[in-house]
Amino acid sequence: MRKPIIAGNWKMNKTPAEAAQLVTELAPLVADASCDVVVCTPAVNFAAVAEAIKGTNIKLGAQNMHWKESGAYTGELSAAMLKACGVEYVVLGHSERRQYFGETDATVNLRTVAAVKAGLTPIVCVGEKKEEREAGYTNALVVYQTLIALTGLTAEEVAKKVVIAYEPVWAIGTGLTATDEQANETIGVIREGIRSVYGDAADEVRIQYGGSMNPKNAKGLMAQPEIDGGLIGGASLKAEDFSKVVGFDK
Ligand code: 13P
């Protein structure tokens, strides 16, 4: 019922020439995908990637955006700027933004609402740290993060215009993956949290898993009923690896 979405988060990697080369290699490998395929590239690569994905099924994504339309916010990018470059998706509230750049649940909410109102699809990241899982409050935390991020959106917008990415912080870039069951269970908890406020929108909203997802573990994760795709870091930087993950779409 929910169309899976597999997105690459390139993080701070690739120059424009390298980015164009990567998507040019990727395009034929994912041409038959039955899921949505997105590459979230650094903003300096938007033009090169937008050109290289013309006529393909690959969509362009960004890695962050500001919530204001314009103004004195040095270093920031607005939704309108992203859209003008052909961007359709934007990663928001990534744990690296939260950890290294002071991103808070409140600002993730402002960004999420601004993205939806501007017609971009936010990929809103939530997830617990290792010590939080060990302390036993993963479920409460991820539901809290999700509901704060979505505050101000209608049920219709939550259902159709938002993607959530569950990324346990301890699994990012570490080679440690949540087990298929752990990821499925926590995503199910997030979905029930969404249901408590937005009702049946919970059945439509797509929730990805992210954290050391790769060609080896993607099959098991993608087979889980609650998991609607992946947000892929390291393995999205090689066309072949990323295409193999895409190949496990349902
Ligand atoms: P890795 O796949 O490199 O663990 O990164 C996951 C991630 O943070 C995607 O946003």
Side-chain angles (χ1 to χ4, degrees):
M1 188 181 84
R2 297 182 295 266
K3 187 178 186 189
I5 170 166
I6 303 205
N9 174 10
W10 294 2
K11 308 191 181 182
M12 194 172 72
N13 291 289
K14 305 289 179 189
T15 62
E18 292 166 346
Q21 188 184 345
L22 175 53
V23 283
T24 303
E25 280 173 36
L26 181 65
L29 303 177
V30 299
D32 297 332
S34 50
C35 63
D36 289 329
V37 181
V38 183
V39 291
C40 302
T41 172
V44 290
N45 299 334
F46 290 160
V49 173
E51 181 62 29
I53 62 177
K54 268 189 194 151
T56 76
N57 57 336
I58 301 172
K59 306 285 191 197
L60 181 57
Q63 298 178 10
N64 194 17
M65 58 160 259
H66 199 271
W67 57 91
K68 295 275 185 146
E69 286 177 15
S70 63
Y73 302 101
T74 302
E76 295 292 319
L77 300 172
S78 71
M81 292 172 187
L82 302 190
K83 286 195 73 180
C85 294
V87 170
E88 295 182 53
Y89 294 83
V90 56
V91 174
L92 294 177
H94 192 280
S95 64
E96 289 150 15
R97 300 288 328 162
R98 295 178 191 254
Q99 185 179 349
Y100 304 131
F101 304 100
E103 197 75 56
T104 64
D105 290 313
T107 56
V108 174
N109 173 237
L110 290 169
R111 292 172 210 271
T112 301
V113 172
V116 170
K117 302 297 176 197
L120 291 164
T121 300
I123 299 176
V124 180
C125 303
V126 301
E128 82 287 1
K129 300 191 185 97
K130 182 165 173 276
E131 59 270 26
E132 292 163 340
R133 179 164 280 269
E134 286 167 358
Y137 56 82
T138 295
N139 293 355
L141 180 75
V142 294
V143 169
Y144 174 86
Q145 288 176 328
T146 304
L147 293 181
I148 297 279
L150 300 179
T151 299
L153 298 180
T154 65
E156 175 86 3
E157 286 168 335
V158 169
K160 297 192 163 58
K161 300 190 172 161
V162 173
V163 174
I164 308 288
Y166 167 56
E167 299 205 305
V169 178
W170 48 269
I172 295 177
T174 58
L176 297 172
T177 328
T179 64
D180 301 345
E181 293 73 23
Q182 263 174 339
N184 189 63
E185 184 189 330
T186 307
I187 289 177
V189 166
I190 293 170
R191 198 178 299 289
E192 290 318 301
I194 293 174
R195 190 183 310 284
S196 70
V197 177
Y198 299 98
D200 292 345
D203 294 321
E204 269 186 78
V205 63
R206 295 183 293 178
I207 311 181
Q208 302 170 307
Y209 169 78
S212 298
M213 199 162 161
N214 60 42
K216 289 205 178 77
N217 58 32
K219 187 175 184 189
L221 288 160
M222 289 297 295
Q224 298 295 315
E226 293 289 353
I227 302 180
D228 304 319
L231 186 56
I232 322 297
S236 71
L237 296 172
K238 293 205 177 107
E240 197 182 330
D241 284 356
F242 187 59
S243 73
K244 282 184 184 156
V245 175
V246 170
F248 292 119
D249 56 354
K250 290 178 246 190

